[in-house]
Amino acid sequence: MILDFREWSEEILSEVVAEKLKHILDLSLKMLEKYPLCDNCLGRQFALLGFGIGNSERGRSIKMLLAMAAHEMALSPEIKVKEIGVKTLKILATRGSFKVARDLLEKMGRRVGGEEKCFLCEGIFENLQPVIDGTIEKVKEYEFDNFLVGIKLPVEIEEREDEFKAEFGVQYSESIRNEMSRVIGKEISQKLNKQVNYMKPQVVILINPFTGEIDLQVNSLFIVGRYRKLIRGIPQSKWVCIKCGGRGCARCNWTGKMYPESVEELIAKPILDVTLGEETAFHAAGREDRDARMLGGGRPFVIEVKKPKRRNVDLKGLERAINEYARGKVEVLDLRFGDKDDVKKLKGAEGAQKVYRIVIKFDKEIADEDLVKIEKELTGVIVRQWTPTRVLHRRADRLREKRIYEVKTKRLSADSIEMWVRCQGGLYVKELVTGDNGRTEPNVSEIINARAEPLELDVMEVIV
Ligand SMILES: [Zn+2]
Ligand SMILES: [Zn+2]
């Protein structure tokens, strides 16, 4: 049917509107006749009609119109009409817990029964204060700016509402879960003066209003930066003792770790001190060997602080604290706040270009032509490299192909040189020197036809 209002007289227009109004009121009264419903639960059945008002106001408005009509009928001299009016007021007072109707009946000297508990929410909407207070108590120890409320509902509550909607052919409703999450979220937002955030909430509060359970999911805080490792001999991340698996044994001197310190731990400790987090996870764009330094502009990293109690930390101050704590060993720079996506970006940056500096010692004196030969034969080549023998015990044996962009050399003594290599990330540079018994091709040892030993390795730049 096409509705063209221009063809209607005002008389017909009001008739059409009255028809719709009658439908809403008629349906609502039928619902209330059969089931007790609070303002929210009645209003929610028409949630998509009207904008910018709550379901509670919707429900109250409907009950008010019904009460007005019923009141008029109750004033009628005609006994039958009067009794229908009174009966309707009674339904509104008991099933609808509607005070206006109760007051009218009392004024008329009518007896009226007690209020009945809402069939759909079991009275929860009228009694949200305990979970709101409980939530506020629970989040007190955490600092955060935004949050999201998630609602857990007993299955029977959702099923009951579905059956209810089907029974009355409800078309314009929203779910009880939706409404509860919004109503509780709004209350908490106002009480704590914090924003609701749907995309990246710092804290997710999971509430079951029916059981009173409140679970907090405190999302991680991500701090992004770059680190420089100034000395050799410390691994990038904490290395659990291979003998005891971290429990502590004689081999690890009861520390549970292979090495007393790591880049990760040196950075994490001051961060945990200020954020009061439970633990950290360390992510970096690749890693240098334990005996290699990481110099230049540093290596990008993200540290994830789990369950932080403080988030609004002064990063400049934190940078100073880390550099003081790790003085002479590790330095951090350019700290900023990040998020999960920064971790993903790091993983993508693992193959980023690297610049290495490596000191090589040969078992014979080498000529100046040899230096030129190394530069020439390694610049612009693709290195074919099987997994190095030294890591075979923990990595699968496979072939990698990595590009070298540029090689520069400098003589240090008759039998030692310094070599700078700019290459694709993931190239094993020590094996590029030794050849690893032919597992890396080409290699410096083969080019010079001498045993070549890497003495010192530094990562000079990670180019992201
Ligand atoms: Zn209800
Ligand atoms: Zn151990």
Side-chain angles (χ1 to χ4, degrees), residues 183-214:
V183 169
I184 295 176
K186 199 172 160 193
E187 282 274 328
I188 294 173
S189 168
Q190 281 168 354
K191 281 242 163 73
L192 296 175
N193 194 21
K194 295 183 195 304
Q195 299 294 312
V196 173
N197 183 318
Y198 293 94
M199 299 306 288
K200 285 177 180 169
Q202 292 171 338
V203 171
V204 177
I205 306 161
L206 273 177
I207 299 176
N208 184 332
F210 291 84
T211 60
E213 273 172 277
I214 302 163

Side-chain angles (χ1 to χ4, degrees), residues 37-38 40-41 118 120-123 125:
L37 294 173
C38 71
N40 292 74
C41 290
C118 177
L120 292 177
C121 74
E122 298 182 351
F125 276 110

Side-chain angles (χ1 to χ4, degrees), residues 142-159:
Y142 295 96
E143 182 181 78
F144 60 98
D145 304 318
N146 60 62
F147 69 98
L148 184 65
V149 167
I151 299 292
K152 284 201 274 187
L153 293 179
V155 180
E156 62 269 25
I157 292 290
E158 286 186 285
E159 282 177 357

Side-chain angles (χ1 to χ4, degrees), residues 82-200:
K82 190 187 191 79
E83 280 315 304
I84 293 174
V86 169
K87 192 186 166 202
T88 305
L89 284 173
K90 281 185 174 174
I91 289 171
L92 288 167
T94 57
R95 295 279 160 100
S97 298
F98 193 52
K99 188 157 182 305
V100 174
R102 179 169 296 274
D103 290 350
L104 281 169
L105 288 166
E106 276 169 7
K107 235 181 187 161
M108 293 173 202
R110 297 281 185 155
R111 281 195 314 155
V112 51
E115 293 181 357
E116 292 170 39
K117 195 158 80 176
C118 177
F119 173 68
L120 292 177
C121 74
E122 298 182 351
I124 293 292
F125 276 110
E126 313 275 298
N127 193 24
L128 289 174
Q129 212 50 50
V131 285
I132 288 165
D133 291 346
T135 302
I136 286 167
E137 183 60 30
K138 210 153 190 179
V139 299
K140 217 165 55 182
E141 57 177 326
Y142 295 96
E143 182 181 78
F144 60 98
D145 304 318
N146 60 62
F147 69 98
L148 184 65
V149 167
I151 299 292
K152 284 201 274 187
L153 293 179
V155 180
E156 62 269 25
I157 292 290
E158 286 186 285
E159 282 177 357
R160 194 182 297 164
E161 187 168 43
D162 286 346
E163 281 164 20
F164 179 92
K165 283 181 190 166
E167 180 177 350
F168 292 99
V170 169
Q171 291 179 53
Y172 296 102
S173 73
E174 68 172 332
S175 69
I176 186 168
R177 174 191 302 280
N178 235 1
E179 182 178 8
M180 264 190 187
S181 145
R182 193 180 57 246
V183 169
I184 295 176
K186 199 172 160 193
E187 282 274 328
I188 294 173
S189 168
Q190 281 168 354
K191 281 242 163 73
L192 296 175
N193 194 21
K194 295 183 195 304
Q195 299 294 312
V196 173
N197 183 318
Y198 293 94
M199 299 306 288
K200 285 177 180 169

